Amino acid sequence: MSEYKDPFIIAGKELKSRLIVGTGKYRTFEEMEKALEISGADLVTVSVRRVDLNAKNKESLLHYIDLKKYQLLPNTAGCYTAEEAIRYARLGREAGMSDLIKLEVIGSEKTLFPDNEATLEAAKVLVKEGFTVLPYTSDDPIMAKKLEDAGCAVVMPLAAPIGSGLGIRNPYNIKIILETVKVPVIVDAGVGTASDASIAMELGCDGILMNTGIAGAEDAVMMADAMKMAVRAGRLAYLAGRIPKKLYATASSPITGMLH
């Protein structure tokens, strides 16, 4: 979107795409590879737990991610304590994956809602250790501000529970978060289809991270293409400024100045 002078910058690095994609839940590595390509994403998140950090010659997830095209965003998916998340973040960095970390500390196995207190605790430690922290959190404006104050590079509120595909359940909280923090706001979790992505971007969000919405679709590659266009369309609509909503009609053709 360079023609509109609308850079997307995280921790000083400019990204081409406002769509960040995950690498889990695909039927095959080949399907994942094709979906990543057509999505246009340049930041790709990978669970440290899913990567065999000792794999040298055998096939693994990372064999299907071209590191000349994509920047890795390791994540701490599946961690339930601050200590566990910190440990996996360190493991990923020691394996040479990245100083970026998508921080997840889950509070409930049933809902996969984040444990915000543990997330904040882990974020403070990781920021001090030089990580660029992108935390998954609830849509709580107070917690979003605390994470920003702790030094997180972005805040990533959920739209709905992970994998639910429900779309943005509380747009008002997302709007308040956008007014509360100065760092980029990236919607993470719950986006199910293109219209959900567009709505998130039309609210003014800086980006979207999604996995299940693409990987779980009947045609993951086609959905990746749809999401790419939806994110772009939603962002452009936000920048363009929509017309105000009115209760009654307004004539498209003005009558002022018409001959009688």
Side-chain angles (χ1 to χ4, degrees):
M1 281 185 274
S2 58
E3 67 267 36
Y4 298 106
K5 296 181 180 179
D6 180 38
F8 180 35
I9 298 172
I10 295 178
K13 181 176 177 60
E14 184 171 348
L15 301 174
K16 300 190 305 291
S17 174
R18 291 177 180 273
L19 175 59
I20 304 168
V21 292
T23 52
K25 304 182 181 180
Y26 289 93
R27 298 163 187 86
T28 64
F29 285 144
E30 289 80 7
E31 181 185 54
M32 178 201 74
E33 188 176 29
K34 291 176 183 176
L36 295 187
E37 175 71 27
I38 203 164
S39 75
D42 46 355
L43 187 58
V44 175
T45 185
V46 175
S47 171
V48 178
R49 284 177 172 274
R50 291 186 62 226
V51 175
D52 184 351
L53 300 177
N54 297 313
K56 300 297 180 184
N57 298 317
K58 58 184 179 180
E59 186 177 83
S60 73
L61 170 66
L62 294 182
H63 283 83
Y64 291 86
I65 300 174
D66 186 347
L67 298 183
K68 293 178 182 177
K69 286 184 182 178
Y70 309 110
Q71 181 175 0
L72 285 185
L73 173 59
N75 71 58
T76 61
C79 293
Y80 285 82
T81 66
E83 294 76 14
E84 190 180 17
I86 292 166
R87 179 160 53 87
Y88 273 97
R90 290 169 176 164
L91 283 171
R93 182 161 70 176
E94 287 168 11
M97 293 177 74
S98 181
D99 284 331
L100 292 174
I101 189 71
K102 182 198 169 189
L103 176 61
E104 288 186 34
V105 185
I106 301 300
S108 164
E109 191 171 353
K110 180 178 181 180
T111 65
L112 299 182
F113 283 140
D115 182 332
N116 287 332
E117 291 181 358
T119 299
L120 181 60
E121 178 187 344
K124 289 177 178 178
V125 172
L126 293 172
V127 167
K128 286 182 180 178
E129 294 184 5
F131 284 90
T132 299
V133 180
L134 290 73
Y136 162 66
T137 181
S138 63
D139 57 353
D140 175 3
I142 305 303
M143 182 53 62
K145 181 59 178 170
K146 287 183 178 181
L147 289 166
E148 179 186 45
D149 290 344
C152 293
V154 305
V155 292
M156 304 178 71
L158 54 79
I162 291 174
S164 68
L166 289 172
I168 294 188
R169 296 294 84 199
N170 195 335
Y172 306 105
N173 273 23
I174 299 295
K175 286 292 289 183
I176 294 171
I177 290 172
L178 287 163
E179 294 173 2
T180 301
V181 302
K182 294 181 174 64
V183 295
V185 175
I186 299 172
V187 164
D188 180 15
V191 172
T193 191
S195 57
D196 298 334
S198 286
I199 289 169
M201 298 307 292
E202 287 172 20
L203 287 172
C205 294
D206 296 276
I208 297 179
L209 191 155
M210 66 178 76
N211 187 179
T212 309
I214 293 175
E218 291 183 22
D219 188 322
V221 177
M222 190 181 295
M223 185 61 82
D225 198 11
M227 293 297 194
K228 172 180 66 178
M229 291 186 281
V231 168
R232 179 172 169 77
R235 180 64 181 179
L236 291 179
Y238 168 73
L239 292 175
R242 64 158 292 145
I243 63 170
K245 295 180 180 180
K246 298 178 181 179
L247 184 60
Y248 298 105
T250 302
S252 298
S253 301
I255 60 172
T256 305
M258 290 182 65
L259 296 176
H260 294 286

